[in-house]
Amino acid sequence: MTCPLYIGLPMWSNQDWSGTLYPRYAKTDLLSDYAAVFSSVEGNTTFYSGAPKPETVAGWARQAPAHFRFCFKLPASVTHDQRLTRLDEAWAFLDALAPLHDRLGPTMVQLPRDFGPDELPRLETLLAGWPTHLPCAVEVRHHDFFHKGAAEKALNRLLITYRANRVMLDVRPLFSTPANDHPGLAHAQQEKPKLPLHVLSTANHPVIRFIGHVDKAINIDYFSAWKSRLALWINQGKTPFLFVHTADNRESPMLARMFYNDLQNMTALPPLGPFANEKQSQLF
C-alpha cells in the first residue's frame, strides 16, 4: 500500500508528546505508537550517529507497518567530514538499512553550508552510484544554489538527470519575527540556515521540511500556498513527503495533523489515526 502523501515529524522519540500523541506514561520505544498516526519520519539521528546497529534496524522493521516510510539522513561523516570524497561509508550505510529497504522514503543528503558549485562533481559521483531502487533527496545550503543563476541551474539539472529530489527547506515562518524572549525560537533561528524558498520538484518524491513558528497563526498563513502545490503534485502522480517542525517541536504533532486535515479538503487522503489522549477519552 502506498500513500498519496507521506507526512511526519523530525523524530518519533520526544517525551514532550507524552499525554497527547503518546500515553502519559509512555514506554521508551515509541515507534509503533508514532506509526499508528503518522506515515513517515525524518531519521535525523543517523546524521549524528551513523549507521544503526543490526539489532536496532531489526527492531524498527518489526514495529513499522508496511505503509510506513523512513527518511534517514546520510551520516555527517560522509557529507561534512569527508565532503563526499569517500563513499564506501555511504554504501555501507544503505546496506545496514537493508531490512527496511521496502520502507525507505527518500534518504536525505544534507550538504554543508559551504558545499558550493565547485564540489558538484562529488555530488554527481554519489548520485551516479546511488542504488536505483532507493529514492534520494538532496538538501543544499550554499547561497549560490539559491540565486537562480548558473550554479542553481547546474544543480537542478544534476538532480533531474539522476532522479534525485531537491529538499525544500521552508524557514520563512521561523524567521518571520524576532525571537524576543522565547528560548526555543531563538535556538531554532540560530540552528537553521536563513535561506530563500525555491519550490521545485526534480523527481517523483518532493520533500518539504516546514520549520514552523511558535505562533500557530503564522504557520497557517505560510502553509496556505503549500496546499495547492501539494495537491498539484499528487494529481501529477508524484508522492510528496511533508515533515513538520516547530521551533521547539512541542506542538509539531498537532500542527502536522492540522495541515493534513486542511489538505484533505483539497485531495483524497486516508485519515490519520487518533492521538493516544484521544483514544483514552473514547474509553469514558
Side-chain angles (χ1 to χ4, degrees):
M1 183 179 67
T2 58
C3 300
L5 166 75
Y6 288 92
I7 188 165
L9 310 175
M11 76 286 286
W12 68 76
S13 183
N14 189 330
Q15 292 302 318
D16 286 336
W17 303 336
S18 296
T20 53
L21 178 60
Y22 300 135
R24 186 167 301 278
Y25 301 104
K27 56 185 181 296
T28 303
D29 200 344
L30 303 167
L31 177 56
S32 58
D33 290 332
Y34 175 93
V37 179
F38 295 106
S39 52
S40 189
V41 69
E42 286 188 26
N44 286 323
T45 57
T46 57
F47 181 76
Y48 303 100
S49 61
K53 296 178 180 179
E55 57 268 27
T56 300
V57 177
W60 294 341
R62 287 193 301 270
Q63 295 178 70
H67 70 274
F68 191 81
R69 295 292 179 266
F70 295 92
C71 293
F72 295 108
K73 281 187 181 177
L74 209 61
S77 56
V78 176
T79 56
H80 288 56
D81 299 340
Q82 301 167 11
R83 302 183 73 89
L84 304 185
T85 59
R86 295 166 51 196
L87 298 181
D88 288 349
E89 187 178 342
W91 311 139
F93 175 76
L94 295 178
D95 288 343
L97 299 175
L100 294 171
H101 277 192
D102 63 330
R103 278 163 285 180
L104 288 186
T107 298
M108 289 188 277
V109 181
Q110 181 180 300
L111 296 173
R113 301 186 191 203
D114 61 348
F115 190 101
D118 292 345
E119 294 178 281
L120 281 181
R122 298 180 184 177
L123 177 60
E124 181 167 14
T125 300
L126 174 76
L127 297 179
W130 198 270
T132 55
H133 66 288
L134 298 179
C136 175
V138 177
E139 182 178 316
V140 293
R141 297 188 169 189
H142 194 288
H143 282 275
D144 284 355
F145 294 129
F146 295 87
H147 290 165
K148 299 185 178 181
E152 184 168 10
K153 291 177 181 177
L155 168 68
N156 292 335
R157 281 197 302 267
L158 179 62
L159 298 178
I160 292 169
T161 297
Y162 290 99
R163 297 183 176 87
N165 304 275
R166 180 168 177 173
V167 175
M168 288 159 270
L169 180 68
D170 190 355
V171 295
R172 296 172 303 161
L174 175 66
F175 289 102
S176 62
T177 70
N180 297 324
D181 296 326
H182 194 287
L185 189 59
H187 176 74
Q189 289 182 352
Q190 291 171 0
E191 184 181 61
K192 294 293 188 293
K194 190 176 183 180
L195 294 167
L197 173 67
H198 288 189
V199 179
L200 176 68
S201 174
T202 57
N204 290 328
H205 302 291
V207 178
I208 302 98
R209 300 180 66 218
F210 184 95
I211 316 298
H213 197 276
V214 294
D215 186 329
K216 184 170 73 172
I218 290 174
N219 295 328
I220 293 172
D221 183 54
Y222 277 101
F223 187 72
S224 179
W226 279 116
K227 292 188 288 187
S228 58
R229 178 64 61 167
L230 288 164
L232 173 64
W233 284 332
I234 292 169
N235 290 335
Q236 291 175 341
K238 298 189 176 189
T239 307
F241 283 74
L242 172 63
F243 297 110
V244 179
H245 303 231
T246 55
D248 55 15
N249 281 318
R250 290 181 180 176
E251 302 298 320
S252 55
M254 285 69 77
L255 185 63
R257 184 170 63 173
M258 183 178 66
F259 287 167
Y260 190 86
N261 290 341
D262 283 348
L263 287 167
Q264 285 182 308
N265 296 325
M266 301 187 67
T267 188
L269 296 173
L272 296 182
F275 289 5
N277 64 333
E278 295 162 343
K279 292 180 184 178
Q280 185 69 27
S281 65
Q282 292 169 3
L283 297 176
F284 298 95

